[in-house]
Amino acid sequence: MKKFLLVLGILIFGLNSCHAAPCRWVDCVEPYDLSAGISRFMSNVTGSNFLGVQVAQAIFKKELRKTMDGKLSINIDSYSVKDLKKGIFKSIKLKGRNISIEGVYFTSLNINTLCDFNYISLADPQNPVFKEDLPMEFSAVMSEDDINKTMQSAGYKKVIDDLNMLGSSLGVFRVSSSEIRIKDNKFYYILKVAIPFVRNIQNIVLVSDIKVSRGQIDLANTKLANNNMLIDLKQIDRVVNYLNPLDFSLNILENKHAQLAVQNIKIQDNKIYAGGLLVVPKD
């Protein structure tokens, strides 16, 4: 159900992050094109609005199951069943636990619309039109296991392959595999690399700070945890941010020219907590 994927603005890769902080923002508009007040009143009194919302929530959850696995709950708040059919609603809240989306894993993922009037015209159900910007907020929690499973996905492996293609042309080391560890609330990145003229695969263990930079997650102040190696840390810092699995994971939220800006990130109880804004611009 294409229109639902567009309503939430999530579930597929491939669009641009918002590199400003905060992301391009919008003002919520005053409601318009609503059904008559008496119609909304009767819809609520008779219970048809409640039933319509229940049906819509069930349909949306079914459609999400085609792309997303895990425990899902969806809550829709509408003005009336007539308005809901037109694509006008007050809010959508999505809560997910132990979620996977196209090979990207989250311990939890919550997405909420921010305005109390949202309008996606459904005149042509196959080609919904965003009548107004759709601003949302998201929060995500990722465990060590989540991130390592994500790093086994085809999408992430392609990132490594692309880096190795560039590296081979420059005659630098080749990354054979990578994984992360979160210990004592510190982020460790472990690279297995093949270095020119060195026979055995080498382990490079790095520890990095995690911060937000221009709406994206940045692995900063990278240091070697195994100090017995001599290596250019500036080069390694660039490599680690190119392979950044945290930024890779949150990019799954972008769709239909959506702009995503991470606003906060922290490590707590050996898990990554991130939150920010997601805006789908009007057509």
Side-chain angles (χ1 to χ4, degrees):
M1 191 173 178
K2 181 179 177 183
K3 64 187 178 186
F4 179 60
L5 302 184
L6 298 182
V7 166
L8 290 180
I10 63 173
L11 305 180
I12 62 172
F13 287 107
L15 296 167
N16 297 323
S17 294
C18 177
H19 297 293
C23 200
R24 185 183 70 85
W25 198 230
V26 294
D27 293 323
C28 295
V29 301
E30 291 295 320
Y32 63 94
D33 282 356
L34 291 174
S35 57
I38 186 64
S39 176
R40 298 199 303 275
F41 174 77
M42 292 303 297
S43 180
N44 285 291
V45 168
T46 61
S48 61
N49 186 39
F50 174 80
L51 293 175
V53 165
Q54 299 306 305
V55 171
Q57 289 174 172
I59 292 172
F60 288 172
K61 184 179 289 188
K62 181 180 178 180
E63 292 302 317
L64 275 177
R65 290 289 183 195
K66 296 178 181 179
T67 313
M68 178 187 292
D69 292 322
K71 185 177 180 180
L72 299 171
S73 67
I74 299 171
N75 182 269
I76 300 171
D77 191 5
S78 72
Y79 290 94
S80 71
V81 67
K82 184 177 180 180
D83 292 313
L84 188 58
K85 288 180 179 179
K86 289 195 298 184
I88 296 174
F89 56 94
K90 292 182 180 179
S91 67
I92 291 181
K93 296 180 179 180
L94 181 148
K95 292 184 178 181
R97 296 283 298 175
N98 299 318
I99 293 295
S100 65
I101 309 171
E102 297 185 358
V104 177
Y105 292 80
F106 299 93
T107 296
S108 69
L109 176 63
N110 299 329
I111 299 176
N112 304 322
T113 53
L114 290 176
C115 294
D116 59 9
F117 175 81
N118 303 279
Y119 194 175
I120 299 100
S121 173
L122 304 177
D124 178 359
Q126 299 304 314
N127 295 286
V129 175
F130 283 70
K131 303 289 284 187
E132 302 294 340
D133 290 352
L134 183 66
M136 297 170 280
E137 64 181 355
F138 72 89
S139 62
V141 179
M142 293 172 279
S143 67
E144 176 185 297
D145 187 52
D146 292 329
I147 299 167
N148 280 323
K149 286 192 293 185
T150 295
M151 292 167 72
Q152 296 302 311
S153 69
Y156 189 78
K157 288 181 177 179
K158 185 179 185 303
V159 174
I160 292 179
D161 289 342
D162 290 345
L163 176 68
N164 285 333
M165 287 182 62
L166 177 63
S168 63
S169 66
L170 299 176
V172 298
F173 61 77
R174 175 183 176 85
V175 177
S176 60
S177 66
S178 64
E179 62 180 317
I180 67 100
R181 291 285 183 268
I182 303 174
K183 185 178 180 181
D184 298 327
N185 289 330
K186 293 183 179 180
F187 188 85
Y188 293 86
Y189 196 93
I190 304 165
L191 290 170
K192 293 184 181 294
V193 301
I195 300 175
F197 311 114
V198 176
R199 178 178 297 179
N200 297 323
I201 297 293
Q202 302 294 306
N203 284 337
I204 301 177
V205 183
L206 306 160
V207 59
S208 295
D209 295 333
I210 299 175
K211 67 176 185 178
V212 175
S213 176
R214 295 178 59 81
Q216 294 184 308
I217 300 172
D218 188 27
L219 301 179
N221 301 319
T222 303
K223 300 178 180 65
L224 279 171
N226 49 344
N227 294 322
N228 59 325
M229 296 194 66
L230 295 176
I231 197 163
D232 184 350
L233 284 179
K234 288 184 179 180
Q235 183 186 72
I236 284 293
D237 195 58
R238 288 193 294 269
V239 167
V240 168
N241 273 293
Y242 184 84
L243 298 176
N244 187 341
L246 304 179
D247 215 39
F248 176 86
S249 294
L250 291 182
N251 282 343
I252 194 69
L253 301 181
E254 297 177 288
N255 181 37
K256 200 180 185 289
H257 310 296
Q259 296 179 317
L260 180 146
V262 180
Q263 291 186 308
N264 55 77
I265 188 166
K266 65 180 180 180
I267 303 178
Q268 183 176 311
D269 299 325
N270 289 329
K271 293 181 179 179
I272 306 292
Y273 290 77
L277 305 175
L278 182 65
V279 180
V280 181
K282 67 180 181 181
D283 293 306

